[in-house]
Amino acid sequence: MLVGLVRPGVFRHITCRNSVYPRSNVTRYPVPDKFVFWTVNYEGYSPPCYTAGHIGGQSWADEPLPSEKNQPHWNHNDDIVNRVSFHGEYQIKDGLPQNPIGRTGLCGRGLLGRWGPNHAADPIVTRWKRDDKAEFVWHKTSGKKILQMVAIQRSDNKLWAIPGGMVDPGENVSVTLKREFTEEALNFADKGNMVEQFFKEGGVHVYSGYVDDFRNTDNAWMETTALNFHDEEGTKVGQLQLNAGDDATNVRWTDVDANLKLHANHADILQEVVAMRNAHW
Ligand code: BGC
């Protein structure tokens, strides 16, 4: 697992710094690498606060500011909202959760619904690249088999990504994984029991933790649980016709290698799968 490696430069904390916040004209307060960690004093640090208006009143979002009588149960999972971070107990500063990695140059929730961790799930669906005789394709230089993954193009930032999504209140992560894959990559088309069965057979756990997401703030951030669902023979999900839906504008089987540019830190997560399956990178 990558959890132990979470720090800037190794595990990225880059896309949530030094930029204009998405879907707004709010510029983040500059945070150079040396001032990321809260333990380092950053004289004069005064990030603007921003919470997008449209998240108010949404069923998936918290109240604007936790008040005396409405105190979310920080660092707890009440089986409806999971406020537990994969990185241990987070600090509450001035009544609000503090990003466990460090400064982002923005306070408030931005586009995120929850104060503190916002949980997502990412199904990494893979197969081996094959030629038209269904034989494996071996990479000329590395001599290894080439992994292919189902990637979607996100409609919000146009980047290619794992077809993941937010864990709904009270939802089990295993349900989110199948639901998001079906919605985003298959567009609800009826694929019978095969997809159901493929996911039921279980995936291999790859990563649980912080995501370097462009929406993160000092008080709200993304965390994900990523599992690999691999179709070794290419006879199950590996054969399906993909069809973009929901938050995806495109979907495709993509060759996996070191040049693949993906949303947030999805490429780092994918690299774990490559190592596990001894595939070309
Ligand atoms: C996406 C996940 C991603 C998470 C963090 C969610 O919106 O659906 O794939 O891991 O954001 O970036």
Side-chain angles (χ1 to χ4, degrees):
M1 287 220 300
L2 299 165
V3 173
L5 298 178
V6 175
R7 57 191 150 93
V10 174
F11 199 88
R12 299 174 222 291
H13 184 71
I14 292 170
T15 67
C16 59
R17 283 191 285 144
N18 307 320
S19 52
V20 173
Y21 194 83
R23 292 173 64 187
S24 83
N25 51 16
V26 184
T27 302
R28 292 176 185 268
Y29 194 89
V31 181
D33 287 358
K34 63 178 179 187
F35 289 129
V36 166
F37 295 131
W38 298 108
T39 46
V40 176
N41 182 37
Y42 187 2
E43 201 65 53
Y45 179 63
S46 51
C49 284
Y50 171 68
T51 297
H54 74 266
I55 70 176
Q58 300 284 352
S59 57
W60 44 266
D62 288 334
E63 298 289 318
L65 266 178
S67 62
E68 284 287 304
K69 59 176 181 8
N70 165 42
Q71 268 295 318
H73 210 178
W74 306 126
N75 287 301
H76 280 81
N77 182 357
D78 60 12
D79 286 332
I80 298 177
V81 186
N82 179 6
R83 299 189 191 275
V84 177
S85 166
F86 285 112
H87 301 286
E89 196 150 318
Y90 47 84
Q91 302 296 310
I92 305 302
K93 239 348 213 352
D94 302 323
L96 292 175
Q98 194 175 53
N99 187 312
I101 307 303
R103 299 181 175 97
T104 67
L106 194 97
C107 56
R109 271 175 300 165
L111 290 164
L112 298 176
R114 303 288 176 199
W115 298 103
N118 287 251
H119 289 281
D122 282 297
I124 307 164
V125 175
T126 54
R127 70 179 183 190
W128 295 114
K129 184 171 188 170
R130 289 165 193 269
D131 61 19
D132 48 17
K133 294 191 195 73
E135 304 288 347
F136 293 134
V137 176
W138 302 83
H139 192 268
K140 285 197 195 76
T141 332
S142 68
K144 292 183 171 180
K145 286 186 282 183
I146 299 167
L147 205 61
Q148 294 188 315
M149 70 172 282
V150 174
I152 52 124
Q153 191 177 25
R154 294 174 62 100
S155 50
D156 58 359
N157 59 8
K158 306 288 177 278
L159 293 173
W160 288 89
I162 302 165
M166 307 302 292
V167 180
D168 284 345
E171 188 176 53
N172 194 298
V173 167
S174 61
V175 175
T176 318
L177 289 163
K178 200 202 90 191
R179 179 177 57 69
E180 286 295 334
F181 182 77
T182 316
E183 286 175 9
E184 298 198 340
L186 305 179
N187 201 11
F188 281 117
D190 180 22
K191 306 295 177 191
N193 279 330
M194 191 267 282
V195 175
E196 189 78 34
Q197 195 50 39
F198 181 72
F199 276 87
K200 221 188 239 155
E201 281 162 17
V204 180
H205 180 257
V206 180
Y207 176 71
S208 292
Y210 187 82
V211 182
D212 180 24
D213 189 286
F214 65 144
R215 296 164 293 186
N216 291 348
T217 74
D218 286 0
N219 309 120
W221 60 92
M222 291 298 314
E223 298 196 8
T224 197
T225 303
L227 269 76
N228 177 214
F229 297 87
H230 181 65
D231 185 358
E232 180 66 23
E233 310 298 330
T235 51
K236 298 171 183 167
V237 170
Q239 279 197 329
L240 285 178
Q241 210 56 40
L242 303 173
N243 201 355
D246 200 33
D247 298 332
T249 47
N250 265 309
V251 63
R252 67 179 183 206
W253 282 101
T254 305
D255 291 4
V256 172
D257 66 22
N259 298 318
L260 195 57
K261 299 266 176 294
L262 296 176
H263 162 77
N265 57 306
H266 284 185
D268 296 320
I269 296 174
L270 201 62
Q271 208 178 340
E272 292 285 294
V273 180
V274 167
M276 188 170 78
R277 306 232 169 254
N278 192 25
H280 166 71
W281 180 246

